[in-house]
Amino acid sequence: MTRPRGPRGGDGGQGGDGSDGAVPRQRTGQGGSSASISESHQMITQAATAGRPGNSASRNSGPAGATPRNGEPAGTNPRDGESPQTPETDSPPPLPQNDATLKKDDPQTLEQIEAARVRVRQRLQELSDEAWDHVDTNRDSILAQEGYQRQREKMIEGGMREEVADLVVERTAMGTEAHRHLDNSVTNEAATMLPPETGFRLRSEVGFDADGVETSRVKDQEFRPDVILERQYQPSADDKAEWEVAHAYDLKTGLKTGIAPGWATRVTEALNLPNRPEELRPTQRPLSTD
């Protein structure tokens, strides 16, 4: 199998050195890519927009068996859906308390949805940072995986220059594995962040069709937020309590774009959300202002 390579050299690169605008990491090693800026940006954009249901292109081109991502090409409004940062305090925000007998648009419900968002905001940011730390620390072993190496070889066989293929595969692999790490972390900590008695819960990588109906069939999925906040509701006294989506989050690790406005609108309308989807962005990956 081809020796793993990265865009900065034959050993997979050192990554996190700030050459692409990310917050520098204290790592050794230098080097540069000979790929043109325009060609590199074009290939990264194509890789980043692959595989999300609802797109004409494939956004997630990770190794075989990787869960496809969904949504739409990244947009031009990086602040879309962002919420103001909650000041750090010595004690955590109070637990929310949902009333399942009230409708989603009831003022009391809206207040508790906001309380739930505030409650989990800091921890979701920490988990996003941890996800990027994980892929940054394990960059070489991730790129050495057979699926990513096979992907790189196919690109080169198709006529792509090696340095461009290295760059595309690295960006794709890092983003895919960061999402996978966040998915696992949220699943493991969901009940701790929002205990069941609050009437709220967090879930990750839940797919929905165009009408906002949850579906596990990937081909039927129109969009799939990385994390959703749900609340219990009871249509009537005779009905069993059900769950409905109250807020959505999407992890963004690219330096050029944030949540696409069109995708945010589609998710907001299909799920009848009181607020637009919120962006989760690792602190190490600030959005470029260039």
Side-chain angles (χ1 to χ4, degrees):
M1 181 174 67
T2 307
R3 184 183 180 189
R5 298 185 61 182
R8 303 179 186 85
D11 62 353
Q14 291 300 318
D17 59 4
S19 60
D20 60 358
V23 174
R25 310 281 296 173
Q26 299 302 314
R27 305 177 70 170
T28 59
Q30 301 191 24
S33 169
S34 59
S36 69
I37 294 177
S38 60
E39 183 178 5
S40 299
H41 283 179
Q42 181 181 4
M43 298 312 303
I44 294 171
T45 299
Q46 292 175 351
T49 57
R52 282 194 118 157
N55 276 355
S56 59
S58 172
R59 175 176 172 185
N60 177 13
S61 49
T67 303
R69 309 246 324 112
N70 30 270
E72 74 176 323
T76 58
N77 184 2
R79 299 303 176 188
D80 192 11
E82 282 193 3
S83 293
Q85 294 296 316
T86 303
E88 293 187 8
T89 59
D90 294 334
S91 60
L95 284 170
Q97 187 57 61
N98 177 63
D99 185 341
T101 65
L102 299 177
K103 294 183 178 180
K104 188 191 296 187
D105 60 358
D106 186 276
Q108 181 177 326
T109 300
L110 296 176
E111 180 180 337
Q112 291 307 306
I113 290 174
E114 179 61 25
R117 293 176 60 190
V118 171
R119 175 75 183 191
V120 303
R121 184 169 294 146
Q122 180 176 338
R123 186 54 184 154
L124 285 178
Q125 180 62 57
E126 292 171 350
L127 293 180
S128 300
D129 291 349
E130 291 171 9
W132 190 259
D133 277 341
H134 167 76
V135 297
D136 195 36
T137 300
N138 297 283
R139 182 185 301 258
D140 290 344
S141 61
I142 288 173
L143 295 177
Q145 292 179 23
E146 182 179 356
Y148 292 124
Q149 283 299 296
R150 186 165 58 248
Q151 182 184 81
R152 173 182 178 274
E153 291 167 1
K154 288 182 178 180
M155 289 179 179
I156 295 174
E157 290 172 0
M160 185 181 294
R161 286 159 42 196
E162 285 194 21
E163 59 268 30
V164 177
D166 290 338
L167 191 61
V168 172
V169 169
E170 178 174 7
R171 295 294 186 267
T172 303
M174 297 289 277
T176 298
E177 298 303 325
H179 280 84
R180 196 190 313 278
H181 192 278
L182 178 65
D183 177 14
N184 293 334
S185 297
V186 170
T187 298
N188 291 335
E189 296 193 24
T192 301
M193 288 190 281
L194 286 173
E197 60 269 21
T198 64
F200 288 97
R201 71 179 181 183
L202 290 172
R203 287 198 293 159
S204 58
E205 297 292 348
V206 180
F208 299 88
D209 65 17
D211 296 321
V213 178
E214 182 178 334
T215 176
S216 59
R217 292 169 58 89
V218 175
K219 68 176 184 178
D220 295 332
Q221 292 178 2
E222 178 72 12
F223 55 87
R224 187 173 64 206
D226 293 314
V227 181
I228 56 173
L229 168 67
E230 295 180 299
R231 67 175 288 266
Q232 281 188 310
Y233 77 101
Q234 191 171 10
S236 70
D238 297 329
D239 292 326
K240 181 180 179 181
E242 302 177 21
W243 291 94
E244 65 179 356
V245 183
H247 193 55
Y249 303 83
D250 208 50
L251 176 67
K252 291 296 181 183
T253 61
L255 301 179
K256 297 297 182 181
T257 55
I259 293 178
W263 183 86
T265 297
R266 188 158 72 244
V267 172
T268 302
E269 293 178 351
L271 298 178
N272 189 29
L273 300 179
N275 298 282
R276 292 168 72 81
E278 187 172 342
E279 180 176 300
L280 299 177
R281 175 171 293 277
T283 305
Q284 310 93 309
R285 304 289 291 176
L287 198 66
S288 173
T289 57
D290 295 339

